[in-house]
Structures are given as structure tokens and as C-alpha cells.
Amino acid sequence: MSGHAGEPFAKLPVEPKPPLRRFHQARWDEPIIFEQSRPGRRGISVPAAGVPAVELPGSVRRAEPPRLPEMGQLQVLRHYVRLSQENLGVDNAIAVGQGTCTMKYSPKINDRFVSDPKVAELHPLQPEDTVQGTLEIYWQLERILTEVSGMHRVSLQPGSGSAAIYANVAMIRAYHASRGEGRQRDQVITTMFSHPSNAACAKTAGYEIITLMPDADGYPDIEALRAAAGPRTAALLITNPEDTGIFNPRIAEFVDIVHRAGGLACYDQANANGLLGITRAADAGFDLCHFNLHKTFSTPHACGGPAAGACGVSEALAPFLPGPTVEFDGERYYLDADRPQSVGKIRPFIGVTPNVVRAYAWAMTLGAEGLREVAEIAVLNNNYLMHKVLQIPGASAPWDRRRVEQVRYSWQELSEETGVHSEEIGIRAADFGVHYWTSHHPYVVPEPFTLEPTEAYSQEDLDEYAAILAHVADEARRDPDFVKGAPYNQTVHKTDQTWLDDPKSWAVSWRAYVRKHLS
Amino acid sequence: MTAGRPVTPATASPTPDASPAPGAPGGAPLTIGLVVNPVAGVGGPAGLKGSDGADVQREALARGSRPRAAERAAQAVRALLARRPGTRILTVAGPMGEDSARAAGAFPELVRIAPGDPSSSKDTTAAVEAMREADLLLFAGGDGTARDVLDGAPSCPVLGIPAGVKVYSGCFAVSPAAAGLTAAEFVPGDGRSTVEAEVVDLDEEVYRRGAVAPRLYGTLRVPAVRARLSGRKVGSSSAGPGSAEGVAREVVARMRPGVRYVLGPGATTAAVGRLLGSATTLLGVDVIQDGELIAADVTEKELLALVDGHESCAVVSVIGGQGFVLGRGNQQISPAVLKKIMASGGLVVLATQQKLAGLAGRPLLADTGDPEADALVEGHVSVITGYRESAMYRIRSAIEELPA
């Protein structure tokens, strides 16, 4: 406080605030909603309609009512508000700690658009004439994404980034099959630091995976690619910048090597947030690419529910795009399902419309210059944060290279000195109300942590985040057992994650939990 | 006092908010055996590259080295008791464990053996044999100690507290505290909770002359360390495609009729034998053809005869942390044998992605003793990392990589 307004307060015996937030997570011990259900409770009492009931055939009738929780409105509202308070996310924390996930702010105005009945009450089977505006948004967003990527066409059908990668792999398979080389080309090449969904999707589609390991400079070994590429190569699936944040300057050579072997080159653009308006997939010679609309284009992350992915292809691959495609004849928009070479549907209907609307609104509010500015600020923020983090004794960024939009750092030095591991530093950091993540499996960088500040965070946010890390690193030196005992200010202490590794135990739904653990 | 520090001590109770894991013993007392090799690590600071042998130990002490194993064992016990108070500790009287346990605030029970002074390898082996009651055996030392533990044929899973000069074996935790915490979270009798880890050791005599020669001695069951990761995106299962079983499935899937497969030593190649139902050896070189074991634990001479005139393929794993695939522990695959193999079926290497990543971009190494034979494998080799998964990785002659 300054000036006259502050003077009366200056005399009050108020201690100055400590440099770090005195955060404490709300803790409600909230049971899950199914456990709160009581027979007969209702949120809304619906009066009898007064019209005769329609006799449904037995084959479509439920034998028993769905086992939905039965609760009052207040109890439902309170339940979800409490859960939201037990959470850390972009809306209440500095969420720069989930590198590779591009946790940027999703502007609330875009949520108002999608909660408008014009979007919220759409039915996927409505006649085309009644959804001309929606189809126009699909069409226009496709134009934006073809411009950003340089590709010929883009499909918005995939419901997630990995679904978009899978769609790309399906197109690669269909392309080679159409040339009589489907059986012969049974290998997909990827890199250690590419997003793991590349290997996973290609393997799911039946391909054998060859991984290129990083060389001593941190780039994927180009000589290994030369040795691996051949008549069995279907495609190279590569992320650039990789999850280290290092941009591969020889990417066009990688594409050339694969093309000369008769394979296709597919660009995983999960890390596109630092590239918008700066580089384009098509300019490096790629045949296919994808975007995660929930990363780069600010729509919500899905966590298993529908997010949105987009796959872009060259003209040669366009006939294989998933469908139906959205077309425009100059007067009206329509769906084209008559595409004999299409790989078909990656998910039902034409896409996750609310997310397509959000991404379109986001891109339109920014404009072309704004999109480039997003990338510039994301890169600037990342390099600012890197500068701050590397001043913390014990923190390092393996490979002395400039980074684009994220960095995979290492606490190796601190960990060897103190015995405190990266996960433990992250758990302690949560005591100050921030989120932190280590690395994809396997841990190639020792004691890893991956930060991606995006364009959404202010300089003060980044300063605060770096100060928290510096504080925890200092605690680790002075009192390692204290850091290992964290968290102290969180909802839960430590959770046993071994369930996640065991198909017999894991349960991602209440039904599965009841089946595996209660019956 | 640090900001945000609670009033109650952090170590007051074990994970108060965590619900017990499925199958967890629900607070049943856990018995941990503790064996300390009191001289482990003594040779390192003295520049002796190891502590094997009484002469070396005397020399190290004369050079002013202080043993560090006792202190590191105490660190592990402290971490164990902080996470799981009330754990029963079974150990050996004096410096082989009792001193460390007491230094960590434990009241250990002692097994009835009388170690010599100073203690020797035999005492370690005898201590392991005397700890049949333990659910898990912690031992503090290095690769040499791990070999002694292996000789004692432990009846329960083990875990090493790294305290030696050479710690190349896979049976060690990353730090003393990690060993203690892993022990505290160990669930006895849960089949999913252990994995096989290799015990390798360097020949110290050779190592002191400047060469690195890791040798595989066998395997021990160790707790599967499941990282307590915050917000991870993927899990890893011990039965996953990147496990030894996954690698073995891929090797078997690639086998062609009529071709002779020369399996080098190691836990991963042993998994191939298990999958085929063949009695292959862990430490020897075996030959498989058409899914059948046609020769086990062969000598170089026998191997040369077996690959002569037959299409043959060598399947070898990476021994130790330096990336050696030929000339270490598999000398039966001699230059003469390798020349015949490279003229027909070629070389396949087995390794997990983690192991390759651990090389930090350095190449795999061949050191058969014949530069001409090494040159045959130079370039890039297909490394099987899991079922339908491989890496293309650089391999070089060790002569070019190691200082003379």
C-alpha cells in the first residue's frame, strides 16, 4: 500500500507476508458420489406428464433402472464444489509444471459460447440444413489449421491427440496398402523423446516399432535412422521439438531419408505451441501431421473424455482422411461420406463440436498475428523460466542447447547430494499450491522434471514458481527427510500408485471398482 | 524453521492418509534381515578401485580411508523405521549389522553366527544362510558383497544398500534412503512385487590395470521398485512389452527354422530359454535350433564347431553399465566364432530402453580382442527392447572408445 490510503493501515501490527504463499489445500474427506446415494432422493421432482405412455418393445427396454446416484440438488452441487477445491489446475494454480501438456488458460468466454443452447443442444444426427453454422465453423477451423500447418486438408474428427495420431497411422497403413506395399512395410520408426503415443498408436495398429535413441548431443541419432530406414519402413513418427524442448534443426534431412526409403513422414505437433506462425509441417516435407486442440488451441484437456485432435495431410494422402469430411459448394456446407479410400470414422459423428467451437473462437480472437505472438511469448516465457531454474544449485538442463517451449530438466546433482528424488520435490512443491511433473517413461533424463510455461503466465507467476523450486531445493539440502515426508498442506498424503500397474486392480470407473474390489 | 513446516514431526507415523494397498499385510510386522560388509567401499577413496581382498583393505586403511558401509546401512535403517515403525530387524552382532541398526535407533535381534575380525566373504555368506526368517534381506556393500550374498542362496528377496566402490549390479537401490523406503513398502509374498536383477562384478585386478571387465555371476530376486510418481501419464507393468519376458517373446518370434541361435549369458537371454521350455544356462553360452536346446554351456571350441557351416545368429545382452556386448562374460563367442556368425545370421542385442538410455549416447562396445572381428559388428545394430519393439543403436570397437 502506498499514499494516503495506506497510512492508517501502516500502523497496524500486521506481519509482512512471507515470500512464499501460506497455501493449504482444502480437505473435505468427501465420499464418492455413489456412496452418498440414498434410495428415493431426487434433485428434481418431475410431475406426471399426463400423456399416455408409449409401449416400447421389450428388446429396447431396460430390465432394471440405471444405477445412478440418487441425491438432492444441493448435495450434488456441494459435492462437485468440494472436489474442485481439492484440485490443482490452471484455474487455481501456476500450472507450468506439466510439461508436454501445454496447460494454458482456456478463456472463459469460449465456454460461454459452447454452453449456449445453439451449441449445447445440438444433436449429432440433425439434418445438415439445420446445422449450417456448425459446419461452417468446422470448415473455417480446417482452413485455419491448413494455413498454420501448410497441409492440404485437415480432419477434425479425432476426439484426442492420440486419436489423431492413430488416424494418421491408419492413413499411413491405407496409403501403403493402396500401393500394394501394405504387408511389406510393417515398421514404424520413432524417437525416444517423441511423444510416447506415437509408438503406442503405431503398435496398436499392428506395426513393429524401431526407436532412435538420442545421441551425445541430445538429437535423435540420424545415422541410426539411415540404418533403420528401408523397404520395411512404413513411416517416421516424430515430435519436434521433442519432449526435451530441443528443436531438431536437421528435421528436413530426417524426412528426406524416410522418403528415399519409400516411407511417409508424420509430424507429431503435440509441442506446436512454440511454433505457430514460425515453422510449418509441410515446409519441412511432412506428409501428415496432427495438432492437439486441447494443448495448442486452448480447449480443455480431456483426461480420457473427449478432447479434440486434428490431423493434417498432404494432397496425396487426402483421399484417406477419416470421415465424413465437411465440404462447401460455395452456397451450403455438407458432409461427404462417399470417399471410398477413407479410413472411416475414428470416433462417432464428425468431431467433438464444443471443442471445435472453442478452438475456432480462440484462433479467431487472436488472428494470424496473435497466433504467432502466442508462440513468441511461449518461447520467451520458457527461456525466462529456464534462466531462473538454472540458477538454482543442483538443477540442470541436460544438453547445452536452446529450447523452444519446454525443458526437461534434471535434479541429478541435487539428488546425489541429498538423496531427495524429483518426485519428492514435486510433492513438496504442491505444499505451495503448484503442480509439478517428472517425465514420461522411461526416465532417460535422470531425476527429471518437465516445465512448460506457455504464453498464459505472467513474469510474476514464473518468478513465484522458480522461487518455490529454489526453496524446496534449499530445504532438500538442509533437511532431506523433511522434503521426503511431504506433503504437509495437501488433501492426501502419499498415494499408492501400484494399482495403476496392475490390470487386475486398476479401476477407472465405479462399475469397475465394484467388480474388482467390492464383489 | 522453514516456511510451511508443520509442528508435528514428519516421520511420526507411516503415510497416515494412504489406504492399505490391495494385498498389503495391514500392519503385520515385517522382518528385515540386515547384513553389512564393514569394509565395503574402503578402497574407493584410497584410489584402489575396489575393496576385495584383505591386502587391499589393509592398504586402504593405511592410506587413511574410513569405511562408510556402517553409516550408509544406518541411513537405510533410519529411513525404514521412519516409514514403518515397529519393523523387526534381524542382524549379525557387531559391525556386520548390529552397530548400524543401533545407530539408527533400532533394537535388533541377532542371528547366531560368530564373524571373524575382520569379517570376510565367508561371514557374509554365513549370515545370509542364517536369515531364513527374514521377509527381505538388506545388505550394505558393493558388487563383491552382492556376490557373497548370491553364494549364500538367500531364501527371500534381497536389496542392496549401495556402499561399495563398484556398484554395477542391478540389485542395489539408488541410495541408502531409497533402500530403506523400498524395504518399508515391501509386501512379502506378493508375486508382483519382485523382479530378477543381475549380479555383475568387475575383476578388480584387471580394473586396477585400467580395463573394465564386468562379469555376470547370477541373479537375485529384488523388490520391484515402483516409483512414487506425481501425476504420471503412463504406468509400467512388470509384465509389459519392455520386460525381459517381452524381449524374450520378440526373440522367439524372430527365430527362423534351421538357424542356430547362440544365446549369451544373462537374465534376458535366460528368459528366452524359459519361454522355449529349454534348460538354458544363466552364465554360459547355449545354442538353440528350431526351438530346441542343442548344446548348453559350450566352450569356444564346441561353439566354433556348432556354427561352422550353419546359418547362425548371436543373441547377446548388455553386461554391466559400460555397454559391453561382446568380449565380456561371453568370451566363448571368440573372434573366429564371431566371423562365422557375421557371415551368416549376424548379431542381435537385447537391452531395455532404460539400459540404452543409461549409456547417454555412448555406443555399445565390442572387445573380442581381435580388431578385425570387432570391425565386423561396427555400425548400427538392432537392439530388441521389447515385444515388437527395437532400437537401432551404434556399436563400436572398445579399442577406439577406451583410453589405452
Side-chain angles (χ1 to χ4, degrees):
Chain A
M1 284 252 181
S2 63
H4 299 293
E7 273 170 22
F9 298 103
K11 293 187 179 123
L12 290 174
V14 176
E15 291 283 314
K17 287 201 174 191
L20 297 183
R21 240 171 252 277
R22 289 166 295 185
F23 168 80
H24 200 297
Q25 185 85 56
R27 173 177 170 159
W28 288 103
D29 264 349
E30 183 71 359
I32 61 176
I33 197 162
F34 288 95
E35 292 172 325
Q36 298 180 50
S37 174
R38 294 292 175 274
R41 298 261 168 89
R42 288 290 178 274
I44 305 167
S45 292
V46 185
V51 291
V54 178
E55 271 304 308
L56 288 172
S59 62
V60 300
R61 257 198 211 166
R62 278 183 176 275
E64 53 186 285
R67 272 172 278 175
L68 296 173
E70 298 174 73
M71 294 173 77
Q73 284 193 29
L74 170 61
Q75 286 70 28
V76 172
L77 174 72
R78 202 170 58 196
H79 175 70
Y80 286 108
V81 169
R82 285 174 174 174
L83 292 190
S84 76
Q85 290 177 351
E86 291 190 330
N87 207 352
L88 278 183
V90 175
D91 287 357
N92 69 349
I94 304 168
V96 308
Q98 186 88 22
T100 82
C101 275
T102 318
M103 303 300 290
K104 63 168 68 177
Y105 172 63
S106 301
K108 298 303 163 208
I109 180 81
N110 299 339
D111 279 321
R112 284 185 58 190
F113 296 145
V114 300
S115 54
D116 186 289
K118 287 177 192 157
V119 178
E121 292 180 8
L122 279 176
H123 193 280
L125 295 177
Q126 269 179 247
E128 283 167 14
D129 286 344
T130 68
V131 288
Q132 285 293 301
T134 304
L135 294 180
E136 184 181 355
I137 289 174
Y138 271 82
W139 170 262
Q140 292 292 353
L141 184 58
E142 182 183 344
R143 301 283 82 68
I144 292 169
L145 294 175
T146 54
E147 190 57 44
V148 169
S149 62
M151 292 308 207
H152 179 70
R153 288 293 307 260
V154 169
S155 168
L156 293 165
Q157 214 216 3
S160 70
S162 293
I165 298 172
Y166 187 83
N168 280 340
V169 173
M171 284 189 273
I172 289 162
R173 194 171 49 186
Y175 171 83
H176 289 305
S178 76
R179 297 157 57 92
E181 292 185 345
R183 278 180 186 280
Q184 169 203 326
R185 297 193 178 272
D186 63 348
Q187 294 178 337
V188 159
I189 303 170
T190 185
T191 73
M192 185 72 257
F193 284 125
S194 283
H195 197 277
S197 282
N198 290 286
C201 291
K203 207 166 175 185
T204 306
Y207 284 103
E208 185 185 315
I209 309 303
I210 299 176
T211 303
L212 310 178
M213 303 297 288
D215 64 16
D217 295 324
Y219 298 119
D221 183 355
I222 194 167
E223 296 308 322
L225 176 63
R226 283 189 223 282
R232 291 180 63 188
T233 303
L236 169 72
L237 268 57
I238 191 167
T239 310
N240 192 31
E242 293 189 285
D243 285 353
T244 52
I246 297 174
F247 188 86
N248 181 352
R250 299 176 75 179
I251 193 68
E253 274 181 79
F254 277 65
V255 171
D256 279 349
I257 290 167
V258 175
H259 280 168
R260 278 202 297 275
L264 296 170
C266 180
Y267 192 168
D268 176 324
Q269 296 195 110
N271 298 338
N273 205 45
L275 304 176
L276 295 172
I278 297 170
T279 66
R280 303 201 310 169
D283 298 343
F286 280 97
D287 307 289
L288 309 97
C289 72
H290 96 279
F291 291 101
N292 299 57
L293 296 186
H294 55 276
K295 291 184 181 180
T296 314
F297 289 82
S298 130
T299 78
H301 283 59
C303 301
C311 37
V313 292
S314 65
E315 195 168 357
L317 271 296
F320 303 98
L321 272 178
T325 51
V326 178
E327 307 288 345
F328 181 52
D329 64 9
E331 282 184 14
R332 63 185 287 279
Y333 298 92
Y334 63 98
L335 297 179
D336 181 6
D338 183 21
R339 300 170 52 254
Q341 287 188 291
S342 166
V343 296
K345 285 180 173 167
I346 295 300
R347 69 186 307 282
F349 312 116
I350 59 169
V352 182
T353 299
N355 283 341
V356 168
V357 171
R358 286 187 183 99
Y360 173 73
W362 186 79
M364 289 302 284
T365 50
L366 284 161
E369 299 79 12
L371 289 180
R372 187 185 165 103
E373 201 178 342
V374 162
E376 289 171 347
I377 297 174
V379 174
L380 194 62
N381 270 356
N382 182 47
N383 284 277
Y384 177 79
L385 183 62
M386 179 161 81
H387 178 73
K388 303 277 292 188
V389 170
L390 293 182
Q391 288 174 346
I392 303 172
S396 62
W399 304 294
D400 187 17
R401 295 273 171 284
R402 288 185 65 178
R403 308 297 164 123
V404 181
E405 87 306 353
Q406 65 179 324
V407 183
R408 182 152 296 162
Y409 299 92
S410 172
W411 285 121
Q412 185 176 21
E413 191 191 317
L414 182 78
S415 185
E416 282 172 1
E417 191 187 324
T418 64
V420 174
H421 297 296
S422 181
E423 299 89 51
E424 293 163 332
I425 289 173
I427 292 170
R428 176 63 182 142
D431 277 341
F432 297 95
V434 297
H435 178 58
Y436 170 106
W437 181 64
T438 51
S439 163
H440 292 296
H441 176 87
Y443 277 16
V444 176
V445 168
E447 301 299 334
F449 62 112
T450 312
L451 309 182
E452 182 183 5
T454 77
E455 73 284 4
Y457 294 95
S458 69
Q459 189 176 356
E460 293 74 27
D461 290 338
L462 301 181
D463 288 344
E464 183 179 339
Y465 196 91
I468 291 166
L469 292 186
H471 177 83
V472 176
D474 182 52
E475 281 183 338
R477 282 210 172 74
R478 287 186 286 115
D479 190 353
D481 285 341
F482 176 72
V483 176
K484 284 173 172 291
Y488 305 104
N489 307 333
Q490 273 296 335
T491 324
V492 291
H493 195 74
K494 285 189 169 66
T495 52
D496 176 16
Q497 300 196 356
T498 52
W499 290 24
L500 296 180
D501 295 337
D502 181 13
K504 289 196 193 81
S505 307
W506 70 47
V508 293
S509 68
W510 174 247
R511 184 185 295 184
Y513 185 79
V514 169
R515 179 163 45 84
K516 293 180 182 179
H517 295 282
L518 301 183
S519 57
Chain B
M1 195 60 112
T2 53
R5 178 153 198 169
V7 182
T8 48
T11 52
S13 65
T15 58
D17 298 322
S19 9
L30 181 73
T31 301
I32 299 288
L34 175 70
V35 180
V36 177
N37 171 7
V39 295
V42 75
L48 293 171
K49 300 184 175 175
S51 319
D52 295 355
D55 294 350
V56 171
Q57 291 157 17
R58 268 196 302 277
E59 174 67 22
L61 293 169
R63 290 190 194 183
S65 280
R66 299 245 59 81
R68 56 178 197 150
E71 186 197 320
R72 291 173 76 82
Q75 282 172 15
V77 175
R78 226 169 272 134
L80 162 66
L81 293 177
R83 184 59 56 85
R84 194 158 177 166
T87 302
R88 181 177 166 228
I89 299 197
L90 204 57
T91 188
V92 183
M96 279 189 70
E98 184 191 3
D99 295 352
S100 302
R102 290 198 187 281
F107 299 96
E109 291 172 40
L110 303 181
V111 293
R112 289 173 190 205
I113 66 156
D117 183 21
S119 60
S120 68
S121 293
K122 284 200 191 88
D123 296 316
T124 304
T125 306
V128 171
E129 286 168 353
M131 289 193 187
R132 301 286 165 203
E133 274 180 63
D135 296 314
L136 175 74
L137 180 68
L138 287 178
F139 68 94
D143 289 328
T145 319
R147 281 171 58 188
D148 297 336
V149 170
L150 185 66
D151 289 343
S155 57
C156 63
V158 305
L159 183 62
I161 301 164
V165 180
K166 302 158 295 156
V167 185
Y168 292 104
S169 300
C171 55
F172 287 95
V174 293
S175 68
L181 294 177
T182 305
E185 286 163 14
F186 181 66
V187 182
D190 179 357
R192 291 182 291 124
S193 63
T194 62
V195 293
E196 221 162 319
E198 292 182 344
V199 175
V200 297
D201 196 7
L202 306 180
D203 183 327
E204 287 188 8
E205 275 304 305
V206 177
Y207 189 42
R208 285 191 192 99
R209 292 199 301 268
V212 176
R215 210 184 123 190
L216 174 65
Y217 285 90
T219 61
L220 288 166
R221 299 295 302 176
V222 301
V225 179
R226 293 187 168 92
R228 294 175 301 279
L229 309 181
S230 56
R232 62 181 174 180
K233 291 178 175 175
V234 287
S236 58
S237 163
S238 57
S243 63
E245 287 70 25
V247 170
R249 275 176 68 200
E250 179 61 18
V251 172
V252 171
R254 288 191 189 188
M255 284 183 167
R256 287 176 290 125
V259 179
R260 290 187 168 171
Y261 291 89
V262 178
L263 299 186
T268 320
T269 45
V272 175
R274 267 205 307 279
L275 190 63
L276 291 171
S278 297
T280 54
T281 60
L282 177 66
L283 302 178
V285 172
D286 309 310
V287 183
I288 298 258
Q289 184 181 336
D290 299 319
E292 300 288 334
L293 179 67
I294 60 166
D297 200 7
V298 293
T299 63
E300 189 267 342
K301 201 174 263 178
E302 289 164 343
L303 188 56
L304 194 57
L306 282 162
V307 300
D308 193 27
H310 284 274
E311 186 177 355
S312 304
C313 179
V315 182
V316 295
S317 57
V318 182
I319 302 282
Q322 297 80 23
F324 282 106
V325 293
L326 287 167
R328 296 290 184 273
N330 55 18
Q331 281 87 347
Q332 298 93 322
I333 305 172
S334 66
V337 171
L338 188 64
K339 283 173 186 170
K340 290 200 184 299
I341 286 174
M342 293 311 288
S344 60
L347 178 72
V348 172
V349 176
L350 315 183
T352 59
Q353 280 190 349
Q354 195 86 57
K355 201 159 203 175
L356 289 180
L359 296 173
R362 293 190 317 270
L364 295 169
L365 299 173
D367 184 17
T368 61
D370 176 358
E372 229 177 83
D374 292 347
L376 291 175
V377 300
E378 282 205 317
H380 283 80
V381 66
S382 172
V383 181
I384 296 178
T385 55
Y387 183 59
R388 293 183 62 74
E389 287 175 11
S390 63
M392 194 55 78
Y393 206 84
R394 199 155 59 93
I395 178 167
R396 294 192 70 177
S397 167
I399 292 165
E400 295 176 36
E401 286 293 320
L402 287 179

